[in-house]
Amino acid sequence: MAGKPAETPDPSASPLARAEHFVWLTARVLEQRRFAYHFLRGGADPVEAALTAYLNEDGGYGHALEPDLRGPVSQPLHTAHALRVLDSIGRCGGLRVERICRYLTEVSTHDGALPAVHPSQRDYPAAPFVPVVDDPPSALLSTGPVVGLLHRNQVWHAWLFRATEFCWAAVEALEKSHPYEVQAAVAFLDGVPDRARAQAASDRLGRLVREQGLAVLDPDRPEDYPVAEGYAPGELHYPHDYARVPDSLARRWFTDEEMARSLDHLAASQAEDGGWPVTWRRWAPGSALESRPIVTVEALRTLRAHGRAIG
């Protein structure tokens, strides 16, 4: 490293080594602990301890855990993020999840599902693409991943009954969609117990994704694919964004060749500083800085899950 700037890792190092340099240089404690858990044989306890810093007395999570929502208040999107972290370390159960389910019950809309953003966010900064309204509707975007994850971990709570029915209705009614909503639908379908119904819904959703050009199948021609309304220029999604693990229902939407090109593109997207880029709209320096280590950890996990060598 002699003679090189401290912020630039050795370009000849493995993707994992370059990412590690980036994480130690830029990441929050939580992402440092997650990186150590997933790639350096670190323990689960330090991850959970770091996550607890974001926990509020109401059982939800806040404090900008999801970087595009700032401020201390609990939000469904923060709490969904916390559940994904707990799931990734095998801690999605017990009293911690019971408290989370009580919070989800308290903030649910009249139909028993979650709003994307609770009105308590109004007093704090938020990304301009995350609208805060007084009476927000239920959203598949926030509800689907939570319901799917809880089902996959065999969590049983009264909140899940109506929320599950909401997700089924929302997924089976999708016609014109956008990538983040499709990702939420996949997260629901990958975890819900009725596997035959999930497979049928996934097959229909996969046809919709291909017909509407919601996945870039040829990374060499991104200009051939539409950017969804409200997304940043170039904010496109690829097969690996939907099928993050090989056993996802979304994996069947794409050929082996399409998935290989997608993973090639993901691997090649690692920046000179060792991190992966944020593709959505950057609206504040802090949110962009905090998001890149999150994206980097998930990129490495996706590549490894699909059998790609990362170092």
Side-chain angles (χ1 to χ4, degrees), residues 61-73:
Y61 288 77
H63 305 279
L65 177 56
E66 187 68 34
D68 284 327
L69 295 177
R70 315 304 292 182
V73 293

Side-chain angles (χ1 to χ4, degrees), residues 55-62 73-75 79 99-100 102-104 106-107:
L55 178 63
N56 286 320
E57 292 184 4
D58 60 7
Y61 288 77
V73 293
S74 297
Q75 285 291 328
T79 305
R99 291 187 65 196
I100 288 174
R102 288 201 297 268
Y103 164 76
L104 299 175
E106 291 171 2
V107 298

Side-chain angles (χ1 to χ4, degrees), residues 73-121:
V73 293
S74 297
Q75 285 291 328
L77 290 177
H78 294 317
T79 305
H81 189 129
L83 280 169
R84 288 194 298 274
V85 172
L86 291 170
D87 176 57
S88 73
I89 61 172
R91 297 286 179 88
C92 193
L95 290 177
R96 65 177 70 79
V97 175
E98 176 69 27
R99 291 187 65 196
I100 288 174
C101 287
R102 288 201 297 268
Y103 164 76
L104 299 175
T105 302
E106 291 171 2
V107 298
S108 289
T109 64
H110 67 277
D111 53 12
L114 298 173
V117 182
H118 189 270
S120 60
Q121 185 65 39

Side-chain angles (χ1 to χ4, degrees), residues 5-23:
E7 69 274 11
T8 305
D10 183 350
S12 66
S14 69
L16 183 61
R18 288 184 284 134
E20 181 179 359
H21 183 101
F22 173 78
V23 166

Side-chain angles (χ1 to χ4, degrees), residues 13 23 57 75 96 105 128 145 148 160 163 183 200 244 279 297 308:
V23 166
E57 292 184 4
Q75 285 291 328
R96 65 177 70 79
T105 302
L160 274 169
Q183 287 179 313
R244 292 194 173 273
T279 58
V297 170
R308 292 299 183 97

